[in-house]
Amino acid sequence: MRIIKSLLNSFTLLLLLVCFIFVASQPLKVQASDKQDLEKIVILQKKVAKGYSNKFCNSIGIGISKEGATRLTINENKESKFNPSLWFELASSGNKNLKKIDTDQLTDQIATTIVSDCGYAIGLTGQKGIESFKEYFTTIKSEVELQGKNNKDN
């Protein structure tokens, strides 16, 4: 009888120890997951910005004005399904990760990428060029969104 009690106590202690270790290790997995999600979001943000940059620079390259290229780029990027570099992401997780992208950070990334890729063609370089294009882009984007909203109302 004593042996059975001793074994039962040992088993209970071992079970409690295993449960404690399991519970204690859970926050680490959540932190690792959050870090991986953040890395995915950053990579995704770069892909979205590169999509804007490619469309904008191609438009400038074929002679479309800065305003026309900006409006075209914004309209063509309204729906992520039109950006081939995002198709895998859309197929694997839908819009879930795209919705996590901070719009202000994305605008910064878009301005930086465009000025880096073809800013010389529109007379913009360096940090001043990035800030100038960011302000310009934000203004045009607001106009396009307002125009789209007005068209829906009519």
Side-chain angles (χ1 to χ4, degrees), residues 3 7 11 16 24 34 50 54 61 77 79 81 85 97 105 110 113 127-128 130 133 144 148:
I3 296 174
L7 286 174
F11 179 73
L16 285 172
D34 288 346
K50 189 64 176 172
N54 288 343
N77 282 285
E79 292 191 50
K81 65 184 177 184
S85 64
N97 287 335
Q105 288 180 355
I110 290 168
T113 307
Q127 192 59 38
K128 283 186 179 181
I130 292 169
F133 189 80
V144 168

Side-chain angles (χ1 to χ4, degrees), residues 41 44 48 80 89-90 93-103 106:
I41 304 287
L44 196 54
V48 171
S80 51
E89 179 65 32
L90 291 170
S93 69
N95 280 339
K96 179 182 80 169
N97 287 335
L98 287 171
K99 290 179 181 179
K100 293 179 183 177
I101 294 175
D102 181 84
T103 54
L106 178 59

Side-chain angles (χ1 to χ4, degrees), residues 5-21:
K5 276 187 176 182
S6 177
L7 286 174
L8 189 58
N9 285 340
S10 296
F11 179 73
T12 304
L13 184 60
L14 182 63
L15 185 61
L16 285 172
L17 183 62
V18 168
C19 288
F20 177 75
I21 290 171

Side-chain angles (χ1 to χ4, degrees), residues 52 74 103 107 136-146:
Y52 274 83
I74 291 167
T103 54
T107 302
Y136 178 78
F137 181 84
T138 303
T139 301
I140 299 295
K141 187 171 184 190
S142 296
E143 290 174 10
V144 168
E145 288 172 350
L146 184 62

